[in-house]
């Protein structure tokens, strides 16, 4: 669990207990879904459903930076010589940041908002030239750039002062209170969406919501068609450690090179934590989570006794470095692929999606059009297809060399089952993802089953933590034949 999960909300939401007819349905109760609901708050007939609990998905695992100085947006475009595109991207991110800050100010949301200086840094000589180009680009656009603080021992770096950090769950709960909890449903999982005449029928296990317009604000939509998201994206996993330190140094940084390293500070009363991120990789490779956590601990020289929380996060990365936000079918809207920078993008996406619903044109919607076409996209679709196939095939070998003796694999009725034993007893699952039948990887640090293809996640007993899978992998323990018998 992330450090943000220690905050316990004082409000609850009901689950759906009846069929409903609405103008707009928002699926997903994270940052994007709640921001979309906020921008549609003047609509009388709009509702939001969350499969689990508000704010407990990918939004809970972020570092909580409100920062436009990013490696994978306008910097990537500058690297490719696309100056005009870089200008539009920078403007969109500053606009998204303003939207988020305006909401916090207007609604007086207590979310530990703090102004910090944010740095983009490098230790590689080859990246110094790129950073100097970024510096010149920012100055051309009247953004004050500060030199690297001497306490940060990097080869080169630039910083901006007009950036922030905050507590993402406090923000989301504060937003729910500002919305007066109106038409928000938890533990309401949409299992199927069927197109009707001028509407969509969105089915839970027991009920149906008929909506004229639907916003998919979930991290990874559970359907394959019409968008073919697995062919248009890949998933990147990062590893985070929050550990106690003496001083809040009020800066953030991220390295330009890959895998990137990132730091921010968080102060909760007298307690101060440094949140460190590193070891990011495509989920189809390098699946020994314990080794990655140890590497992050070593990279940032973190003493074991100071560690408060460890957790991982999975972000969708797109083929050309820009999020997918907009209409994918008439009155069906999508927002995903935030490239590890979801806080600003969630506010921007919420505004774009609400403008679509209100039949208004947003000046940035063309940047994130989901079905955009380019040479980059076509070439990367082939690469993405190869990665997915490779990941699917390699996932089918269930026992991994790093697994402990607490985990055993067996046959039961012609199927594999996996049993993990701990002080609470035996936890039995079918280690196959219901989404597209990829074999699951056991994360021994966080005690979860993780899909190396499309990032579904399940707890020790097989219950879904996050999609795209909608179904559990739980099974009953019976007399079995071990894998090696």
């Amino acid at each position: 669990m992330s450090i943000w999960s220690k905050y316990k909300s004082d409000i609850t939401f009901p689950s759906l207990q009846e069929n409903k007819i609405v103008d707009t349905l928002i699926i997903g109760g994270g940052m994007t879904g709640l921001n979309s609901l906020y921008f549609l708050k003047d609509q009388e007939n709009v509702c939001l459903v969350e499969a689990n609990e508000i704010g407990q998905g990918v939004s809970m695992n972020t570092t909580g930076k409100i920062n436009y100085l990013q490696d994978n947006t306008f910097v990537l475009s500058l690297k490719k010589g696309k100056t005009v595109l870089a200008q539009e991207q920078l403007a969109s991110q500053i606009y998204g940041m303003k939207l988020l800050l305006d909401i916090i100010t207007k609604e007086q949301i207590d979310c530990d908002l703090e102004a910090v200086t944010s740095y983009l840094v490098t230790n590689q000589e080859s990246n110094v030239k790129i950073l100097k180009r970024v510096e010149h680009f920012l100055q051309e656009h009247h953004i004050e750039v500060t030199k690297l603080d001497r306490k940060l021992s990097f080869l080169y770096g630039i910083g901006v002062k007009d950036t922030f950090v905050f507590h993402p769950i406090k923000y989301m709960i504060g937003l729910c209170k500002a919305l007066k909890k109106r038409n928000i449903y938890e533990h309401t999982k949409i299992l199927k969406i069927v197109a009707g005449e001028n509407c969509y029928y969105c089915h839970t296990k027991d009920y149906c919501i008929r909506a004229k317009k639907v916003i998919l604000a979930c991290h990874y939509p559970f359907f394959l068609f019409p968008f073919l998201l697995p062919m248009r994206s890949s998933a990147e996993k990062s590893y985070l450690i929050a550990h106690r330190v003496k001083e809040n140094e009020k800066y953030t940084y991220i390295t330009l090179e890959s895998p990137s390293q990132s730091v921010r500070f968080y102060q909760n009363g007298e307690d101060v934590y440094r949140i460190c991120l590193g070891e990011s990789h495509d989920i189809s490779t390098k699946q020994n989570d314990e080794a990655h956590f140890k590497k992050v601990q070593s990279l940032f020289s973190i003493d074991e006794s100071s560690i408060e929380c460890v957790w991982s996060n999975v972000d969708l990365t797109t083929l050309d470095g820009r999020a997918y936000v907009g209409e994918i079918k008439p009155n069906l809207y999508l927002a995903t692929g935030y490239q590890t920078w979801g806080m600003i993008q969630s506010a921007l996406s919420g505004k774009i999606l609400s403008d679509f619903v209100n039949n208004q044109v947003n000046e940035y919607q063309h940047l994130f059009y989901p079905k955009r076409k380019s040479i980059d996209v076509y070439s990367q679709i082939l690469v993405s297809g190869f990665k997915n196939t490779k990941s699917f095939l390699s996932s089918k070998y269930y026992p991994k060399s790093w697994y402990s003796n607490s985990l055993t694999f067996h046959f039961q009725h012609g199927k594999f089952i996996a049993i993990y034993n701990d002080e609470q007893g035996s936890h039995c699952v079918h280690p196959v993802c219901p989404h597209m039948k990829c074999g699951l990887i056991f994360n021994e640090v966080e005690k979860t089953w993780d899909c190396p293809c499309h990032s579904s996640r399940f707890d020790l007993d097989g219950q879904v933590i996050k999609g795209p899978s909608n179904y559990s992998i739980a099974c009953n323990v019976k007399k079995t034949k071990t894998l090696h018998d």
Side-chain angles (χ1 to χ4, degrees):
M1 301 295 285
S2 76
I3 194 165
W4 316 123
S5 65
K6 291 179 174 292
Y7 175 73
K8 302 303 179 185
S9 169
D10 57 353
I11 61 174
T12 59
F13 304 89
S15 60
L16 186 69
Q17 297 295 324
E18 60 181 358
N19 296 326
K20 285 185 72 73
I21 299 175
V22 300
D23 291 329
T24 304
L25 171 65
I26 301 169
I27 303 175
M31 287 285 294
T32 299
L34 291 170
N35 283 321
S36 299
L37 183 61
Y38 180 82
F39 290 121
L40 291 170
K41 64 182 183 299
D42 294 331
Q43 274 199 14
E44 288 297 324
N45 201 12
V46 57
C47 79
L48 179 149
V49 297
E50 164 57 39
N52 296 306
E53 296 179 1
I54 293 297
Q56 298 299 302
V58 172
S59 298
M60 178 182 69
N61 295 326
T62 176
T63 54
K65 296 178 182 177
I66 305 176
N67 177 5
Y68 59 83
L69 187 62
Q70 303 167 21
D71 175 27
N72 49 12
T73 52
F74 73 90
V75 178
L76 181 61
S77 296
L78 281 177
K79 286 181 182 179
K80 295 180 178 180
K82 299 179 180 180
T83 306
V84 174
L85 178 58
Q87 290 171 349
E88 291 184 306
Q89 288 175 298
L90 174 61
S92 75
Q93 297 303 297
I94 292 175
Y95 173 66
M97 184 174 75
K98 183 178 184 301
L99 288 171
L100 195 55
L101 295 174
D102 284 350
I103 293 172
I104 294 171
T105 302
K106 181 178 179 180
E107 303 301 339
Q108 298 181 354
I109 298 175
D110 181 8
C111 56
D112 301 334
L113 183 70
E114 183 176 32
V116 296
T117 301
S118 293
Y119 296 99
L120 186 58
V121 299
T122 186
N123 268 326
Q124 294 181 5
E125 189 68 46
S126 58
N127 282 331
V128 172
K129 185 177 180 180
I130 296 171
L131 274 182
K132 288 183 177 180
R133 185 175 179 185
V134 173
E135 181 177 10
H136 180 66
F137 176 80
L138 292 172
Q139 290 170 337
E140 281 186 327
H141 289 82
H142 311 292
I143 295 173
E144 182 181 353
V145 179
T146 183
K147 297 296 183 182
L148 186 64
D149 192 298
R150 291 180 180 178
K151 69 179 74 173
L152 296 175
S153 54
F154 290 94
L155 181 62
Y156 194 79
I158 59 173
V160 291
K161 292 184 177 181
D162 52 340
T163 59
F164 301 82
V165 291
F166 76 141
H167 192 303
I169 292 185
K170 285 186 178 181
Y171 170 80
M172 288 184 278
I173 296 303
L175 201 54
C176 290
K177 291 178 178 179
L179 291 164
K180 298 180 173 58
K181 303 196 299 181
R182 188 183 66 177
N183 293 334
I184 298 174
Y185 299 93
E186 290 183 330
H187 303 291
T188 301
K189 184 184 299 183
I190 301 298
L191 299 174
K192 182 171 63 173
I193 301 175
V194 180
E197 186 174 349
N198 299 318
C199 70
Y200 290 94
Y201 295 94
C202 304
H203 296 271
T204 69
K205 181 181 177 182
D206 300 310
Y207 303 103
C208 178
I209 302 174
R210 191 177 80 187
K212 293 178 183 178
K213 300 181 180 183
V214 177
I215 290 175
L216 298 161
C218 35
H219 178 244
Y220 201 123
F222 54 85
F223 53 78
L224 182 60
F225 298 102
F227 190 59
L228 290 172
L229 185 60
M231 300 295 290
R232 295 173 178 266
S233 65
S234 59
E236 181 179 290
K237 192 170 190 176
S238 303
Y239 301 83
L240 300 95
I241 298 177
H243 71 113
R244 293 179 296 278
V245 293
K246 293 181 179 179
E247 180 185 358
N248 181 356
E249 300 190 42
K250 297 188 178 183
Y251 67 77
T252 78
Y253 75 72
I254 187 168
T255 58
L256 189 60
E257 44 267 23
S258 183
S260 59
Q261 298 173 28
S262 167
V263 159
R264 69 154 287 191
F265 293 84
Y266 168 58
Q267 184 161 358
N268 182 23
E270 297 296 320
D271 299 320
V272 181
Y273 305 94
R274 184 176 68 149
I275 301 172
C276 305
L277 177 150
E279 285 293 278
S280 302
H281 64 88
D282 190 294
I283 61 171
S284 64
T285 63
K286 304 177 181 178
Q287 295 155 347
N288 186 342
D289 295 280
E290 186 172 8
H292 289 298
F293 278 114
K294 287 181 178 178
K295 182 68 178 296
V296 172
Q297 185 177 347
S298 174
L299 282 170
F300 293 96
S301 302
I302 300 171
D303 184 81
E304 184 78 28
S305 64
S306 71
I307 294 177
E308 183 73 13
C309 298
V310 299
W311 71 98
S312 64
N313 194 30
V314 174
D315 291 284
L316 288 190
T317 60
T318 65
L319 303 180
D320 61 0
R322 282 178 278 157
Y324 298 131
V325 184
E327 191 173 51
I328 56 173
K329 285 185 70 176
N331 297 323
L332 180 64
Y333 309 100
L334 172 76
T336 191
Y338 290 171
Q339 302 290 119
T340 76
W341 290 95
M343 299 298 95
I344 288 176
Q345 190 64 49
S346 68
L348 176 58
S349 296
K351 186 65 172 70
I352 291 173
L353 295 174
S354 67
D355 286 343
F356 269 111
V357 169
N358 290 324
N359 298 314
Q360 297 174 350
V361 176
N362 187 288
E363 63 178 310
Y364 298 111
Q365 67 185 48
H366 68 284
L367 280 176
F368 308 105
Y369 175 59
K371 294 185 178 181
R372 58 186 178 269
K373 298 176 182 178
S374 69
I375 294 175
D376 286 346
V377 169
Y378 286 130
S379 63
Q380 287 300 314
I381 280 177
L382 297 176
V383 174
S384 182
F386 174 76
K387 282 183 179 179
N388 281 328
T389 302
K390 181 181 178 182
S391 180
F392 176 82
L393 294 174
S394 64
S395 73
K396 290 303 180 181
Y397 178 66
Y398 298 120
K400 305 298 180 183
S401 59
W402 60 84
Y403 286 165
S404 71
N405 293 332
S406 297
L407 181 64
T408 57
F409 291 81
H410 308 257
F411 287 114
Q412 186 183 77
H413 305 306
K415 295 182 178 180
F416 277 119
I417 66 168
I419 300 175
Y420 182 80
N421 295 294
D422 62 13
E423 54 273 12
Q424 275 75 48
S426 294
H427 308 269
C428 180
V429 303
H430 292 293
V432 178
C433 183
H435 175 233
M436 292 183 71
K437 307 305 179 185
C438 290
L440 299 172
I441 305 297
F442 187 61
N443 181 336
E444 296 218 41
V445 177
E446 298 176 274
K447 302 296 186 290
T448 57
W449 288 94
D450 302 341
C451 177
C453 298
H454 308 113
S455 77
S456 294
R457 183 172 245 198
F458 309 83
D459 67 18
L460 263 183
D461 296 306
Q463 300 305 311
V464 180
I465 298 174
K466 65 174 287 290
S469 175
N470 271 324
Y471 302 97
S472 77
I473 56 169
C475 69
N476 295 320
V477 179
K478 297 180 180 179
K479 186 176 181 180
T480 58
K481 184 177 182 181
T482 66
L483 186 64
H484 304 291
D485 287 345

